[in-house]
Amino acid sequence: MRRPLEIKAQEAGARSVVSLTSALESISSMQIAKTKNKVLISNQFFDEVWNIYKQIRVDVMFNYGRSIDETPLDKELLILITAKGGLSGDIDNRLIRKFMEHYDENKNDVLVIGHHGTTKLKQAHVDYTYYFDLPEHDYVNVDPLMDITRKYAKSRIYYQNYISLSQQEIKDVDLSEVVSSKGRVADMATVSDDMVTEKTYIFEPNSYAVAAYLENSILRLTISQFIYDSRLAQVASRFKAMSAAKERSIANAASLHMEYNRAKRSQVDTRLKESMAGLKKLRAGGAQ
Amino acid sequence: MADDESQTAATDITETEKVATSNGKPTMAVKIYAPFQVYFEGEARSLSAVNATGPFDILPHHHNFLCMLVPGVITVQTLDGSKDIKVNRALMHVKSDKVSVFVDV
């Protein structure tokens, strides 16, 4: 059996881990509330822009705002939105696993957002072509990313989606498809008075320029929305991981405390036994 | 037929009466916002901005209008003064005396 002092020192370490994980859990909890609120606010904004886009768009195929003479690369760009660093639970591992199911070195180029993703890709022996830091501020400038997506015929985005505090899922969507499907409502059968047309609206400088601008805006907003969603899912995953770590450290500290008590008791018992034995010896010696 | 015409006229009058006013002057609802920030929301008498064609004003009863703004300042004439908002990139949508400016899109 280990010495009580040794166990006591280990228990103190375990108690520090409890404090640390509790603090990280609280921080994650605050971040969730803040991020969730921001996602809700931004969703209202996105919905209104989407609504205008639905009413104006005329082309069923979304073409990333490319002009007709631009020939895209015949490869699919895979975009991975991962966490900034560790302490985000297993969410990035799950994302990489899903990505690996689809990844083909000859057919895909990889763009990573978030440093943790690059570490995970290195572990999986996958080279990435582009890298961006995960934006921390509210305003996300996705223009450099859009310039890259425009070069490719197809782009697929892997992101983390928040369902609840205890549940986050990994999703992958074709960027062009997601924009097309959201705007598909505006087909000829559903044309109403709300439709934004040249008959009902004044466009400046002209309807084509506004439609092209909106197409770019929609792509920008779609990517931004995926980044915001991922950020929320990541903080939720971190909260889940910290809660689990806290539970584990509490159990560990309690177990060490019990082990310490047992060792202490055992030590006392041993000393008592030794004293008794000594006393017996003394008594026996006195009798002689 | 005559009844129909008078009914249409009556409807038009009712709709005209719905227009918001302040001290007898017509106003419009203006909202200038980005995904995480509302720069202005409220009633206004006019709004001035700049697009690729040049500077322009939006007044109440403006026709439905959709345009992209170039970097510059949006000036909102509110009921108690004016407010300047600097924008880099924005989309303006005007419909039924409701002006929405989507900043950073």
Side-chain angles (χ1 to χ4, degrees):
Chain A
M1 185 170 273
R2 290 193 297 160
R3 282 166 49 216
L5 276 176
E6 193 187 327
I7 301 168
K8 189 79 182 165
Q10 203 180 344
E11 191 195 336
R15 296 275 172 216
S16 305
V17 176
V18 172
S19 308
L20 189 70
T21 48
S22 296
L24 287 169
E25 188 192 40
S26 305
I27 291 168
S28 303
S29 170
M30 281 189 295
Q31 278 178 332
I32 289 172
K34 208 172 138 190
T35 315
K36 202 171 169 185
N37 190 34
K38 281 184 177 174
V39 168
L40 286 175
I41 294 168
S42 67
N43 280 349
Q44 287 172 5
F45 178 91
F46 293 143
D47 286 347
E48 289 193 37
V49 182
W50 269 111
N51 201 31
I52 295 173
Y53 178 67
K54 271 190 240 175
Q55 292 166 29
I56 194 174
R57 74 186 285 264
V58 282
D59 191 359
V60 178
M61 285 303 293
F62 177 79
N63 62 6
Y64 299 94
R66 272 193 297 263
S67 61
I68 303 161
D69 54 334
E70 278 182 88
T71 315
L73 285 169
D74 193 25
K75 265 187 162 185
E76 188 182 26
L77 178 70
L78 302 180
I79 303 167
L80 313 180
I81 306 177
T82 63
K84 194 170 60 172
L87 293 178
S88 55
D90 66 338
I91 202 158
D92 283 342
N93 285 336
R94 282 159 55 203
L95 187 136
I96 298 291
R97 270 203 298 274
K98 192 164 183 129
F99 153 82
M100 290 302 282
E101 288 168 13
H102 183 87
Y103 176 69
D104 181 333
E105 200 179 340
N106 301 313
K107 292 179 185 167
N108 302 127
D109 277 348
V110 182
L111 185 153
V112 191
I113 303 171
H115 187 260
H116 200 222
T118 61
T119 316
K120 292 284 161 194
L121 282 180
K122 271 178 198 158
Q123 285 170 1
H125 307 290
V126 174
D127 292 327
Y128 53 89
T129 320
Y130 311 97
Y131 167 74
F132 291 100
D133 280 330
L134 184 75
E136 286 178 48
H137 301 291
D138 286 349
Y139 174 67
V140 179
N141 179 16
V142 295
D143 287 355
L145 202 144
M146 281 174 61
D147 292 341
I148 296 168
T149 54
R150 242 183 245 121
K151 290 183 202 165
Y152 289 84
K154 285 178 87 182
S155 291
R156 179 165 287 273
I157 196 158
Y158 288 80
Y159 70 103
Q160 295 134 350
N161 186 38
Y162 173 90
I163 298 172
S164 68
L165 204 58
S166 59
Q167 206 180 348
Q168 298 86 41
E169 63 176 353
I170 306 298
K171 284 184 127 184
D172 66 307
V173 286
D174 183 292
L175 210 49
S176 162
E177 231 173 68
V178 73
V179 177
S180 298
S181 64
K182 276 196 177 182
R184 203 166 284 151
V185 188
D187 60 21
M188 292 314 284
T190 59
V191 171
S192 66
D193 294 343
D194 290 337
M195 198 74 180
V196 180
T197 66
E198 282 177 325
K199 282 182 188 167
T200 55
Y201 271 76
I202 298 169
F203 294 93
E204 274 189 11
N206 56 60
S207 57
Y208 294 104
V210 173
Y213 178 87
L214 255 177
E215 194 159 88
N216 269 321
S217 301
I218 285 302
L219 179 60
R220 195 176 288 125
L221 291 182
T222 305
I223 297 171
S224 304
Q225 217 166 358
F226 286 139
I227 292 173
Y228 296 138
D229 278 353
S230 294
R231 279 207 301 217
L232 178 59
Q234 283 162 14
V235 286
S237 175
R238 186 180 304 148
F239 174 79
K240 208 169 76 172
M242 286 308 129
S243 297
K246 191 180 105 178
E247 294 302 317
R248 274 198 305 272
S249 56
I250 288 172
N252 186 31
S255 153
L256 283 166
H257 189 69
M258 201 175 273
E259 196 184 336
Y260 167 76
N261 284 341
R262 267 204 299 264
K264 189 91 180 159
R265 179 63 143 289
S266 169
Q267 199 179 44
V268 170
D269 286 352
T270 311
R271 280 178 191 163
L272 203 64
K273 273 180 196 168
E274 281 170 3
S275 305
M276 292 298 282
L279 203 65
K280 263 185 185 178
K281 268 187 181 176
L282 278 174
R283 276 182 186 166
Q288 275 170 5
Chain B
M1 188 69 184
D3 281 352
D4 285 349
E5 277 173 8
S6 62
Q7 268 179 3
T8 313
T11 312
D12 287 343
I13 289 164
T14 318
E15 280 179 0
T16 310
E17 281 171 355
K18 278 180 191 170
V19 172
T21 57
S22 170
N23 294 332
K25 289 179 181 173
T27 61
M28 54 193 181
V30 175
K31 189 171 182 181
I32 302 172
Y33 63 131
F36 298 112
Q37 193 179 354
V38 177
Y39 296 97
F40 177 81
E41 186 173 14
E43 291 295 309
R45 294 196 198 288
S46 74
L47 182 146
S48 308
V50 188
N51 65 16
T53 316
F56 65 95
D57 298 317
I58 302 287
L59 298 169
H61 308 305
H62 197 285
H63 193 276
N64 294 345
F65 181 59
L66 193 58
C67 82
M68 56 249 213
L69 304 182
V70 293
V73 175
I74 301 175
T75 305
V76 186
Q77 290 296 334
T78 63
L79 304 183
D80 49 5
S82 80
K83 188 171 180 173
D84 289 345
I85 297 144
K86 204 175 166 187
V87 294
N88 184 31
R89 182 168 57 199
L91 182 79
M92 182 185 281
H93 180 243
V94 182
K95 191 185 179 188
S96 313
D97 279 334
K98 193 179 165 203
V99 183
S100 302
V101 181
F102 304 99
V103 181
D104 294 333
V105 296

